[in-house]
Amino acid sequence: MKKSVAEPKQAGNRNSPPCQIEKLDSPADILEWFPSTAAVLRAYGLRAVLSPFFSQLARYVSLEQLCGLLKIDIDELLLDLNQAAGLTKQTKTCQGCCGGCDDSRDQ
């Protein structure tokens, strides 16, 4: 019997980059939205998602799934990715564009 694999949230369905990178976003979408995050992914040993072949596969896995498989601290990676993308609360105020962060609920 074939196991069904839960697909991550299809982040690519968003029309614009999100206000925060989240654990259910795919590495491929993160790189598309925020190319500056490539150095962070490389530093965490996720070089494979930068290659043309694996970047296509990276659309079907969430950051959380990848971190679980490779034993990477997801919270630390998210912090570094958001900082590299310029999405920390200290540097950017959410405009409520995605509805996914705490700031958008306050508006």
Side-chain angles (χ1 to χ4, degrees):
M1 186 183 294
K2 194 175 186 180
K3 284 186 176 181
S4 69
V5 177
E7 285 193 37
K9 169 179 64 173
Q10 288 300 310
N13 291 336
R14 298 182 197 169
N15 292 330
S16 62
C19 296
Q20 287 288 117
I21 297 171
E22 300 174 345
K23 63 184 177 182
L24 295 179
D25 291 332
S26 76
D29 286 336
I30 293 167
L31 284 167
E32 185 177 315
W33 295 324
F34 309 106
S36 61
T37 59
V40 174
L41 293 171
R42 192 177 295 115
Y44 276 82
L46 300 173
R47 287 181 221 51
V49 300
L50 304 173
S51 77
F53 175 74
F54 286 110
S55 68
Q56 294 303 312
L57 296 175
R59 292 208 177 278
Y60 300 100
V61 64
S62 70
L63 201 57
E64 181 178 46
Q65 290 169 324
L66 201 54
C67 287
L69 180 69
L70 300 173
K71 308 291 189 244
I72 295 171
D73 183 336
I74 184 75
D75 294 324
E76 188 176 315
L77 176 58
L78 283 170
L79 178 66
D80 290 344
L81 286 171
N82 280 300
Q83 285 178 343
L87 301 177
T88 58
K89 290 187 185 234
Q90 294 87 351
T91 60
K92 181 177 179 184
T93 302
C94 181
Q95 301 298 313
C97 59
C98 64
C101 61
D102 291 336
D103 287 345
S104 65
R105 286 180 247 163
D106 294 339
Q107 296 179 356

